Amino acid sequence: MFKTLRADLRRRIVGVCFLNSATESHLVPGRLKVPDRATWCATVLSEVLSPSVVGAVSLLVVGYSATRLGDSGPAWAVALAFGCGGPPLVYAVKSLGGCGSLSMHLLEWRQRLATGLIALVALVVNLGLATGFHAPRRLVDFLAFSAGGIAVASLATAVWRISLHTAVVASLLGAAGAQCGLSVLAGLPVAVVMGWARVRVRAHTPVQVILGCSAGLAWAAFYCELY
């Protein structure tokens, strides 16, 4: 009984992760073929550590660091996480027809560019609101840093499909870690795991993953030099 329920749950998860994806070889007419464990884990990692999720977590980390300075950081961080991460996530889900893998479907450069522009507009709007309503300075600076990074990454991914996942993980987690007194390389271990996941699911080549990670670390180092 337990094995049957577990198998059914796994099929449902795989169905969400791989339906209409670039890895259609996993699908067999009339039935869903479960991929190997490594590919399944890589797909789940790509979903859990999607750019929108990483951006929201980074804002919460920066909000926590602002609290240590006596600012009302967490409340602002939660509001900004929804305001900045929500619009691009909604667009991605809508462009996929309401289901599928957010980490593997945006293969067309127009979709990637549109998602980046929507994220940039959301960041700029929330940056204006945060500045106008006197949000903690750390959060305002972090939003400005994120907006600049998204602008550069959107232009880059429109020309060549570098790994936006690894770039976002390396840059935002590195910058957020630096806000808490950690090294700018704080996001590197997670970026390495994400890079393996992106290559495993055949969403990127190793070169695209390495370039994305390098660009993210460079942007995080630039942020730490400024702030």
Side-chain angles (χ1 to χ4, degrees):
M1 180 67 176
F2 175 74
K3 290 183 178 180
T4 302
L5 291 175
R6 185 174 63 178
D8 180 67
L9 177 61
R10 193 178 181 199
R11 289 192 192 95
R12 291 177 183 273
I13 294 175
V14 172
V16 172
C17 293
F18 289 95
L19 188 61
N20 295 326
S21 70
T23 57
E24 291 181 355
S25 60
H26 291 288
L27 299 180
V28 177
R31 118 180 147 144
L32 192 59
K33 182 179 179 181
V34 178
D36 61 272
R37 187 179 298 274
T39 303
W40 184 83
C41 291
T43 304
V44 172
L45 279 173
S46 293
E47 300 295 342
V48 173
L49 296 177
S50 65
S52 295
V53 174
V54 172
V57 171
S58 300
L59 280 169
L60 294 176
V61 171
V62 175
Y64 168 75
S65 68
T67 302
R68 291 163 49 189
L69 299 177
D71 293 325
S72 57
W76 271 105
V78 171
L80 292 172
F82 278 101
C84 296
L89 185 61
V90 169
Y91 170 78
V93 172
K94 184 177 180 181
S95 67
L96 299 175
C99 64
S101 172
L102 299 181
S103 61
M104 298 171 60
H105 277 70
L106 299 180
L107 302 178
E108 291 291 333
W109 70 269
R110 293 181 181 84
Q111 288 182 319
R112 299 196 305 274
L113 181 59
T115 303
L117 291 177
I118 291 173
L120 180 60
V121 171
L123 281 167
V124 171
V125 170
N126 282 274
L127 177 61
L129 293 174
T131 303
F133 288 95
H134 307 291
R137 180 59 186 269
R138 284 194 175 191
L139 282 172
V140 173
D141 292 343
F142 191 77
L143 285 177
F145 157 76
S146 300
I150 287 295
V152 174
S154 297
L155 291 176
T157 194
V159 177
W160 193 50
R161 192 158 59 93
I162 66 171
S163 176
L164 189 59
H165 278 71
T166 54
V168 169
V169 168
S171 61
L172 294 189
L173 291 186
Q179 290 275 18
C180 296
L182 302 176
S183 169
V184 71
L185 299 177
L188 182 58
V190 184
V192 170
V193 175
M194 173 55 68
W196 165 81
R198 302 304 287 158
V199 173
R200 180 70 190 187
V201 299
R202 301 196 292 272
H204 289 287
T205 65
V207 174
Q208 292 171 340
V209 164
I210 292 172
L211 285 178
C213 183
S214 300
L217 288 175
W219 194 253
F222 173 70
Y223 169 78
C224 292
E225 284 294 322
L226 289 180
Y227 301 105

